[in-house]
Amino acid sequence: MFDQHRLSVLTDRYAGVIGHRPTACVVTFGCQMNAHDSEKIKGVLAEAGFRLSDQEESDFVIYNTCTVRENANTRVYGRLGQLKNYKKDHPHMIIAVCGCMMQEQRAAAELKNRLPFVDLVFGTFNLDRFPVLLEQTLINRLGNIHETLVEIYEKEYAGEADRLPSKRSFTFKAGVNIMYGCNNFCSYCIVPYVRGRERSRTKEEIMQEIKMLHQDGVKEIMLLGQNVNSYGKTLENPVSFAQLLECVAAESGMERIRFMTSHPKDLSDDLIRVMAENQTVCKHLHLPVQSGSNRILKAMNRRYTRENYLALVDKLRKAIPDLSLTTDIMIGFPGEEERDVADTIDLVKQAGFDNAFTFIYSKRQGTPAATMPGQIDGETAAARFNQLLEAVHETAYKRCERFVGMTLPVMIEDQNRHQEGWMTGRTEHNLLVHFPTDSCRIGSTVPVKIVESKGFYLIGRRV
Ligand code: 5AD
Ligand code: SF4
């Protein structure tokens, strides 16, 4: 744990220098894992005495970076360039960069060289050190020392950030890390390099955190891991993900339980049973397929075939008829030919995805795919991407319509931003529903009759 008192004293001294209570803005790129890490960063900053803000014109700005695709990196450098100008007029400002991009080899050193006005750089393996690093950064600033403090660990280690305070983005829903890292080494993916080897938290630790969230009024949790289906394998007393999920459903008191992400090769019959038998486990599964071509799946090192995947979908739909299925698909992988794209589009139609996140392959240094022959040019990839998108939209639109006429429990998330007197909520299938109402508490679940499908979201009426 960190010394909150010492940190607050330093923040107060910094406030004295700048003449007001310092504001802090945490900017998150990437996935749910990063969003979860950012809640910890915010928790530390809030306890240190910073006022959290969404404005990048803040006294402390931190970018929690993603590196899964090249464009995420480009965006960070672009945004940092803009901050440089702002910092010229506000020399008291502190800029920090952390997250996956910094965990890449040489990335931190490169950033330090190119952007020496950045004050603090750290990686994913030492997030738990953030309080100490913040302390040192404040000491540097108060002592007028303007040099980049860089701390990157080469290897993941046991000291995780679980015990850091957290400033959750929502009162009624929360993410809970059940494991870290990934051992799959899909040939295109940088995650195993920047998030390290798979390590699971114990069931007891996880249950304790979930019970505390429940006491705090949280109604929905998302169990988070890069590959939740291989949860618990490395524990001293191995526990399967299905067992963990069953325990969470039985003991947590949560109204809704979600989880992300599942790898098709590890999805067990037991998990399907737990999903089917437990009402509080949402009938939504995110099951990345990546490609519908066996040739490409093999080159991607995904370790299943399109036939395996489609058989799994069949099994899931039989056991959980109302299931919403979403996926990730990548286009433009090295060596891809038109027939592979056709296979992928065919799989999209057969599987009937409710939605799909579609990506153009991005070359990541150090991954096996980066040096594979047959890299696809941008123009070809873009054309194939549009073809894929069309197929995804078509199936998603069709799937969304099945809810029209049904009355579904909807958990209220927010006031509708575009229409006064309307609220926005989510079904267990993870679909947004907009509906007019005069009284609705955020976080409560109400029955809503679905009157119209808009393809990717729904319009409803209170009943
Ligand atoms: N290029 C493009 N997309 C990628 N993803 C992972 N690595 C890459 C890459 N190099 C996608 C996969 C994964 C999702 C989180 O990001 O589809 O499931
Ligand atoms: Fe990357 Fe594959 Fe691990 Fe997912 S399962 S994080 S795509 S290596």
Side-chain angles (χ1 to χ4, degrees):
M1 263 327 262
F2 67 99
D3 188 333
Q4 197 220 335
H5 176 67
R6 220 169 49 204
L7 200 45
S8 310
V9 169
L10 284 165
T11 310
D12 284 349
R13 282 181 52 202
Y14 179 52
V17 172
I18 61 177
H20 57 262
R21 186 171 161 208
T23 51
C25 173
V26 181
V27 184
T28 312
F29 296 85
C31 68
Q32 305 265 0
M33 287 283 191
N34 262 15
H36 191 65
D37 288 352
S38 285
E39 292 187 349
K40 303 272 176 201
I41 293 167
K42 285 183 193 169
V44 172
L45 286 163
E47 292 214 359
F50 282 81
R51 192 163 58 77
L52 295 174
S53 159
D54 292 334
Q55 303 298 319
E56 282 180 54
E57 289 90 25
S58 286
D59 301 305
F60 182 98
V61 175
I62 180 162
Y63 287 155
N64 188 6
T65 62
C66 169
T67 185
V68 98
R69 282 170 290 276
E70 180 68 32
N71 57 2
N73 298 41
T74 319
R75 271 167 59 210
V76 168
Y77 269 105
R79 300 264 288 257
L80 280 167
Q82 286 169 12
L83 272 194
K84 182 183 178 183
N85 293 331
Y86 184 73
K87 193 172 177 171
K88 269 192 201 132
D89 300 329
H90 302 83
H92 62 268
M93 184 188 191
I94 300 174
I95 301 175
V97 185
C98 67
C100 293
M101 189 177 144
M102 293 302 99
Q103 200 62 58
E104 271 186 89
Q105 262 191 356
R106 290 185 296 276
E110 189 189 326
L111 187 115
K112 188 176 168 166
N113 277 341
R114 273 175 65 178
L115 309 173
F117 60 88
V118 172
D119 300 279
L120 168 66
V121 176
F122 59 99
T124 60
F125 297 163
N126 60 339
L127 174 63
D128 64 320
R129 294 260 307 153
F130 175 55
V132 182
L133 296 170
L134 179 61
E135 234 179 67
Q136 190 55 50
T137 307
L138 287 167
I139 291 169
N140 285 356
R141 177 46 39 92
L142 292 164
N144 252 328
I145 300 169
H146 290 268
E147 69 176 44
T148 316
L149 171 62
V150 179
E151 187 183 274
I152 305 286
Y153 286 5
E154 291 281 303
K155 276 190 90 62
E156 66 277 25
Y157 81 123
E160 305 291 358
D162 299 328
R163 276 177 287 276
L164 291 181
S166 189
K167 187 91 184 155
R168 296 198 315 270
S169 306
F170 302 94
T171 51
F172 60 94
K173 64 175 181 179
V176 175
N177 267 335
I178 63 165
M179 61 194 299
Y180 300 91
C182 181
N183 284 356
N184 284 321
F185 290 95
C186 300
S187 61
Y188 51 81
C189 186
I190 200 154
V191 168
Y193 307 90
V194 294
R195 287 271 176 183
R197 294 294 63 69
E198 241 170 58
R199 51 244 186 252
S200 298
R201 293 174 74 194
T202 65
K203 190 171 99 178
E204 292 69 30
E205 250 178 85
I206 295 167
M207 289 309 296
Q208 197 187 4
E209 183 174 332
I210 295 175
K211 281 177 188 165
M212 275 169 49
L213 290 169
H214 183 240
Q215 280 169 13
D216 215 22
V218 171
K219 306 234 166 29
E220 174 180 316
I221 49 161
M222 167 88 82
L223 304 175
L224 292 172
Q226 240 80 44
N227 178 17
V228 293
N229 299 122
S230 70
Y231 167 80
K233 286 181 183 158
T234 51
L235 286 171
E236 207 171 308
N237 300 311
V239 181
S240 73
F241 180 59
Q243 286 168 329
L244 175 75
L245 190 62
E246 199 158 29
C247 178
V248 174
E251 294 177 21
S252 69
M254 289 290 161
E255 270 178 42
R256 286 184 174 178
I257 303 160
R258 303 185 185 276
F259 54 88
M260 251 194 27
T261 293
S262 290
H263 193 300
K265 80 176 163 55
D266 297 315
L267 197 135
S268 69
D269 287 353
D270 229 17
L271 178 64
I272 299 177
R273 176 189 59 77
V274 173
M275 282 188 81
E277 285 177 0
N278 288 278
Q279 259 215 316
T280 52
V281 178
C282 290
K283 304 299 172 271
H284 169 229
L285 185 68
H286 186 65
L287 195 64
V289 65
Q290 311 298 358
S291 171
S293 151
N294 282 337
R295 224 167 54 81
I296 298 293
L297 285 170
K298 194 160 194 312
M300 286 178 165
N301 192 28
R302 292 290 291 179
R303 286 172 278 178
Y304 53 83
T305 61
R306 63 178 274 129
E307 290 77 19
N308 298 148
Y309 188 92
L310 286 168
L312 184 56
V313 170
D314 220 33
K315 194 154 61 169
L316 280 159
R317 292 220 193 277
K318 284 206 176 96
I320 315 162
D322 195 24
L323 183 75
S324 273
L325 190 67
T326 56
T327 199
D328 292 342
I329 308 173
M330 199 186 303
I331 215 78
F333 187 81
E336 182 186 80
E337 293 173 14
E338 293 298 337
R339 62 190 165 117
D340 302 307
V341 183
D343 278 353
T344 299
I345 289 173
D346 181 68
L347 183 135
V348 167
K349 289 182 179 158
Q350 281 197 51
F353 294 118
D354 290 84
N355 206 350
F357 297 97
T358 44
F359 307 105
I360 292 179
Y361 164 76
S362 166
K363 191 197 258 192
R364 308 316 289 130
Q365 277 317 325
T367 62
T371 48
M372 283 181 187
Q375 302 283 331
I376 308 294
D377 68 88
E379 207 175 308
T380 309
R384 291 175 180 175
F385 183 78
N386 289 339
Q387 253 180 292
L388 171 68
L389 214 53
E390 206 175 300
V392 165
H393 284 178
E394 201 178 305
T395 32
Y397 262 72
K398 269 193 218 140
R399 290 285 294 164
C400 201
E401 298 217 312
R402 77 188 192 278
F403 296 112
V404 176
M406 288 187 193
T407 297
L408 302 172
V410 172
M411 193 180 279
I412 317 284
E413 298 216 332
D414 209 349
Q415 270 164 1
N416 193 288
R417 282 154 215 260
H418 305 292
Q419 224 152 344
E420 208 172 315
W422 285 52
M423 300 294 276
T424 295
R426 209 175 277 273
T427 71
E428 68 168 315
H429 316 91
N430 211 28
L431 269 175
L432 282 180
V433 185
H434 305 294
F435 59 99
T437 183
D438 41 18
S439 72
C440 259
R441 253 183 322 116
I442 287 173
S444 64
T445 303
V446 293
V448 175
K449 183 164 180 173
I450 307 304
V451 294
E452 194 183 346
S453 157
K454 295 280 193 185
F456 292 100
Y457 64 94
L458 300 164
I459 304 292
R461 296 272 174 271
R462 279 292 298 274
V463 288

